[in-house]
Short mmCIF file of all heavy atoms in Angstrom, two decimals:
data_model
loop_
_atom_site.label_atom_id
_atom_site.label_comp_id
_atom_site.label_asym_id
_atom_site.label_seq_id
_atom_site.Cartn_x
_atom_site.Cartn_y
_atom_site.Cartn_z
N ALA A 100 4.93 8.17 -0.19
CA ALA A 100 6.21 8.24 0.59
C ALA A 100 7.24 8.98 -0.20
O ALA A 100 8.15 9.63 0.41
CB ALA A 100 6.73 6.84 0.90
N ALA A 101 7.16 9.03 -1.54
CA ALA A 101 8.20 9.70 -2.37
C ALA A 101 8.16 11.15 -2.11
O ALA A 101 9.18 11.81 -2.16
CB ALA A 101 7.96 9.40 -3.78
N ARG A 102 7.03 11.70 -1.80
CA ARG A 102 6.94 13.20 -1.58
C ARG A 102 7.77 13.58 -0.41
O ARG A 102 8.36 14.59 -0.36
CB ARG A 102 5.51 13.60 -1.33
CG ARG A 102 4.70 13.59 -2.60
CD ARG A 102 3.28 14.15 -2.34
NE ARG A 102 2.36 13.29 -3.08
CZ ARG A 102 1.28 12.79 -2.59
NH1 ARG A 102 0.89 13.01 -1.38
NH2 ARG A 102 0.57 12.01 -3.31
N ARG A 103 7.87 12.68 0.60
CA ARG A 103 8.65 12.99 1.78
C ARG A 103 10.08 13.08 1.45
O ARG A 103 10.82 13.89 1.85
CB ARG A 103 8.43 11.93 2.83
CG ARG A 103 9.24 12.09 4.08
CD ARG A 103 8.81 11.02 5.13
NE ARG A 103 8.97 9.69 4.59
CZ ARG A 103 9.95 8.86 4.99
NH1 ARG A 103 10.88 9.21 5.84
NH2 ARG A 103 10.00 7.62 4.49
N TRP A 104 10.55 12.11 0.55
CA TRP A 104 12.02 12.13 0.22
C TRP A 104 12.33 13.30 -0.66
O TRP A 104 13.38 13.88 -0.52
CB TRP A 104 12.33 10.84 -0.48
CG TRP A 104 12.19 9.61 0.41
CD1 TRP A 104 11.25 8.64 0.37
CD2 TRP A 104 13.00 9.36 1.54
NE1 TRP A 104 11.49 7.75 1.39
CE2 TRP A 104 12.50 8.17 2.17
CE3 TRP A 104 14.11 9.96 2.14
CZ2 TRP A 104 13.07 7.65 3.29
CZ3 TRP A 104 14.65 9.44 3.28
CH2 TRP A 104 14.15 8.23 3.79
N ARG A 105 11.44 13.69 -1.56
CA ARG A 105 11.66 14.90 -2.38
C ARG A 105 11.73 16.10 -1.50
O ARG A 105 12.52 17.05 -1.69
CB ARG A 105 10.61 15.01 -3.45
CG ARG A 105 10.75 14.06 -4.64
CD ARG A 105 9.93 14.49 -5.78
NE ARG A 105 8.51 14.43 -5.46
CZ ARG A 105 7.70 13.42 -5.76
NH1 ARG A 105 8.19 12.37 -6.36
NH2 ARG A 105 6.46 13.43 -5.44
N HIS A 106 10.85 16.20 -0.47
CA HIS A 106 10.82 17.25 0.41
C HIS A 106 12.15 17.45 1.26
O HIS A 106 12.65 18.48 1.40
CB HIS A 106 9.66 17.13 1.35
CG HIS A 106 9.54 18.26 2.37
ND1 HIS A 106 9.23 19.52 2.09
CD2 HIS A 106 9.79 18.24 3.76
CE1 HIS A 106 9.30 20.32 3.20
NE2 HIS A 106 9.63 19.50 4.20
N ARG A 107 12.63 16.28 1.66
CA ARG A 107 13.82 16.27 2.47
C ARG A 107 15.09 16.66 1.57
O ARG A 107 16.05 17.24 1.98
CB ARG A 107 14.12 14.96 3.12
CG ARG A 107 13.26 14.67 4.28
CD ARG A 107 13.58 13.40 4.93
NE ARG A 107 12.69 13.15 6.05
CZ ARG A 107 12.69 12.10 6.72
NH1 ARG A 107 13.52 11.05 6.44
NH2 ARG A 107 11.92 11.86 7.75
N ALA A 108 15.04 16.19 0.30
CA ALA A 108 16.19 16.45 -0.54
C ALA A 108 16.27 17.90 -1.07
O ALA A 108 17.31 18.38 -1.27
CB ALA A 108 16.16 15.48 -1.82
N GLY A 109 15.10 18.53 -1.14
CA GLY A 109 15.08 19.86 -1.77
C GLY A 109 14.78 20.83 -0.77
O GLY A 109 15.11 21.82 -0.28
#
Side-chain angles (χ1 to χ4, degrees):
R102 287 187 221 133
R103 177 174 58 106
W104 294 110
R105 283 194 298 263
H106 176 69
R107 286 185 180 174

